[in-house]
Amino acid sequence: MRTVAIWRGVAALCLMGLVLLIGCRGNEGRLRIVLSADTRGFLEDCGCGPTPQGGLARRADLLRRLRTAESTPILLMDGGNLHHVVEDEPHLRAARELVSVMGRIGYDLAVLGPQDAALKAPALREMLNGASFTWLGGAYRNARPALGLDTAWVATRGGITVGVLDTADPGYGPNRLPADRVDDGLLRRARLLRPHCDLLIVAAALDPRGPEVLARELDGLVDVLLVTGAEARSMPQEMGGVWVVSVGDRGRNLGLLEVELKRGQALRRSWSLLPVDNSLIEDPHVADQIREHTQREQGLERGRRERARLVLLARLGIPSNQLPGNAALAWYQGEKDCRACHQEQWEAWRASPHAGPFALPPREDGTEDPLARRRLVTGWLEKGGWLSQEETPHLSGVQCEACHGRASMHTNTRGELREGLADDPWQSCAACHDPVPGTGDPHRLHAAP
């Protein structure tokens, strides 16, 4: 008990020291607070729908437009869960790259989310140390001594002093947080910070039923509750004096909170949900950084898949030289990479049976026949092609590359190179169709042999 009391005293002294550094606040000011949350490792388009959504390069362009549209200062904050729910090396590297890009585009603060906090200590420290912005982790017990994180954050922008706190609900399953790791001192920290801030924000990772309860507890102390892990809200939900807002996940939206200070009182002027979609132009510097990361990851993944392919061919007794493409420089990418530039053709293909799942005929002994997959997937057992539904689900179905050829060099150079693409895509129809269809839109062909 004595140790807990000492740590609470140290935290209080540190917080008071932070407040003293702020200085006197003015009576007038304007500020735009831009919020993101739950990116979950998606550096690029999340693939959530028929049109591109999300992506850090588009996010950077949206922020550039906001900064150049008017002179009102921007405070840029992330509510947490930068990391994907899968804890493996590719996703850890993606999280570190995401942190690097966030520093590049000018983030001031990021809150440690439950998915981030669930990482093993070495991976978490590596992600935290790679940031050029401040991390906040007051929701987690001993965050300051163990991770060196602040338990509160205060800054003055545009004449307005903003305070940020965070909290997490260990009872909410997706958080994956042991109860003994979560700090219960939110109300204490809010009461301590409130007199020194014009606007107080709490980033909260809660059960969907939790915001209403928490807003009642914080009414009169907190102005804005940013809920992570929730559906995006185009309008704030007013609960007493608290605005409850959320931006959704996978980087599909940013939230814009506009605040004005008049006669010493902060007024929340408006809340807007800003879509990150293909109406934006990708920032070239951020796009290049992400492309380099993606190509490195693709190289590692191709090497792993090629080793798995050779093992599988040996088990099936199929010599690799019997399959096309062993000397090809290009690889299969999957239909997602074609969609960005060929939207109309993609939509026609997507509505055709070629794009749908295909049932695999069983053998007489009841097991599935791998040879039967040849006409139902893209690049069956070829170099860089389909291996299994577990290994390469992105190549299931008869996709664009089944007819047009391997597209990795074409997509990675934004269409400048045609290496790997077929000169006459119609010739590929003979592999599955007899007679070969000679008229109509090839993207709308049926899969009947």
Side-chain angles (χ1 to χ4, degrees):
M1 292 296 293
R2 181 178 176 82
T3 301
V4 172
I6 290 173
W7 276 116
R8 285 182 175 174
V10 170
L13 288 173
C14 292
L15 186 56
M16 288 303 298
L18 181 63
V19 168
L20 289 174
L21 289 174
I22 297 170
C24 297
R25 294 178 283 149
N27 292 320
E28 303 289 335
R30 292 191 67 181
L31 177 65
R32 293 174 296 166
I33 303 174
V34 179
L35 301 169
S36 59
D38 290 292
T39 305
R40 300 186 186 183
F42 281 91
L43 298 168
E44 302 178 88
D45 169 21
C46 67
C48 311
T51 58
Q53 293 178 282
L56 291 182
R58 291 191 187 90
R59 185 188 300 187
D61 180 57
L62 178 54
L63 290 169
R64 178 191 60 79
R65 296 185 188 202
L66 289 173
R67 287 173 175 136
T68 56
E70 59 178 276
S71 59
T72 304
I74 284 178
L75 189 154
L76 185 52
M77 166 186 158
D78 189 90
N81 290 337
L82 302 182
H83 189 264
H84 195 275
V85 292
V86 179
E87 187 175 348
D88 58 16
E89 282 302 318
H91 288 100
L92 290 172
R93 289 192 293 267
R96 293 195 292 268
E97 196 71 26
L98 198 158
V99 167
S100 171
V101 173
M102 286 172 59
R104 182 171 195 160
I105 61 182
Y107 270 80
D108 298 289
L109 171 71
V111 173
L112 193 70
Q115 291 175 10
D116 309 315
L119 292 173
K120 293 182 175 64
L124 177 57
R125 287 196 183 94
E126 189 171 354
M127 187 176 80
L128 297 176
N129 293 337
S132 58
F133 46 82
T134 302
W135 283 97
L136 177 64
Y140 308 98
R141 201 176 302 281
N142 296 326
R144 179 179 289 276
L147 299 171
L149 300 186
D150 291 330
T151 57
W153 187 84
V154 182
T156 300
R157 299 281 193 280
I160 299 178
T161 299
V162 179
V164 181
L165 301 170
D166 66 315
T167 188
D169 177 8
Y172 184 37
N175 285 353
R176 301 188 300 164
L177 288 171
D180 61 356
R181 288 187 57 188
V182 179
D183 181 50
D184 59 357
L186 175 62
L187 283 174
R188 173 179 52 81
R189 288 182 284 136
R191 291 190 184 107
L192 183 62
L193 207 58
R194 176 73 267 185
H196 309 281
C197 298
D198 298 312
L199 188 83
L200 188 55
I201 300 173
V202 172
L206 301 172
D207 182 287
R209 298 163 295 181
E212 184 174 354
V213 175
L214 185 59
R216 283 200 301 265
E217 293 178 355
L218 297 175
D219 195 8
L221 289 173
V222 169
D223 301 290
V224 177
L225 191 62
L226 170 63
V227 181
T228 63
E231 293 294 324
R233 296 177 186 270
S234 58
M235 295 290 291
Q237 184 176 3
E238 296 191 46
M239 295 184 175
V242 181
W243 273 13
V244 178
V245 300
S246 55
V247 298
D249 63 0
R250 290 172 281 183
R252 292 177 286 179
N253 303 287
L254 295 181
L256 175 61
L257 176 66
E258 298 195 58
V259 184
E260 186 172 7
L261 187 67
K262 285 189 174 182
R263 299 184 182 88
Q265 182 179 2
L267 305 173
R268 300 161 300 191
R269 295 179 62 245
S270 66
W271 164 262
S272 306
L273 198 64
L274 307 177
V276 181
D277 57 24
N278 61 352
S279 67
L280 301 166
I281 301 171
E282 291 189 338
D283 179 278
H285 303 293
V286 174
D288 285 345
Q289 179 176 344
I290 293 173
R291 189 175 299 107
E292 289 173 6
H293 166 82
T294 302
Q295 289 175 356
R296 288 194 301 269
E297 290 299 312
Q298 287 175 345
L300 293 171
E301 179 63 12
R302 285 198 297 263
R304 188 191 66 78
R305 281 195 208 148
E306 181 62 8
R307 292 189 293 272
R309 181 181 83 102
L310 294 175
V311 170
L312 178 60
L313 289 176
R315 181 165 61 82
L316 296 174
I318 302 174
S320 62
N321 59 11
Q322 288 186 3
L323 297 169
N326 279 331
L329 298 176
W331 291 68
Y332 291 103
Q333 295 287 92
E335 45 84 15
K336 178 183 173 183
D337 283 11
C338 306
R339 181 181 64 187
C341 297
H342 304 283
Q343 182 72 29
E344 183 180 349
Q345 293 86 348
W346 182 87
E347 289 177 355
W349 165 82
R350 189 65 186 168
S352 75
H354 278 137
F358 295 92
L360 179 62
R363 293 185 178 188
E364 292 183 2
D365 61 4
T367 64
E368 71 174 23
D369 182 0
L371 294 175
R373 281 288 188 195
R374 184 188 297 270
R375 299 194 311 181
L376 309 179
V377 297
T378 301
W380 179 82
L381 298 187
E382 296 177 26
K383 182 180 179 182
W386 185 91
L387 294 179
S388 68
Q389 198 61 17
E390 294 71 31
E391 282 278 354
T392 50
H394 66 293
L395 295 177
S396 293
V398 181
Q399 300 187 15
C400 316
E401 292 167 293
C403 300
H404 290 276
R406 298 167 178 82
S408 64
M409 296 185 71
H410 185 65
T411 59
N412 288 338
T413 60
R414 299 185 179 182
E416 292 185 10
L417 291 180
R418 293 186 53 83
E419 179 70 36
L421 298 184
D423 293 327
D424 184 5
W426 277 101
Q427 291 183 357
S428 63
C429 300
C432 302
H433 294 271
D434 184 18
V436 174
T439 60
D441 184 351
H443 304 102
R444 300 179 187 275
L445 291 177
H446 289 273

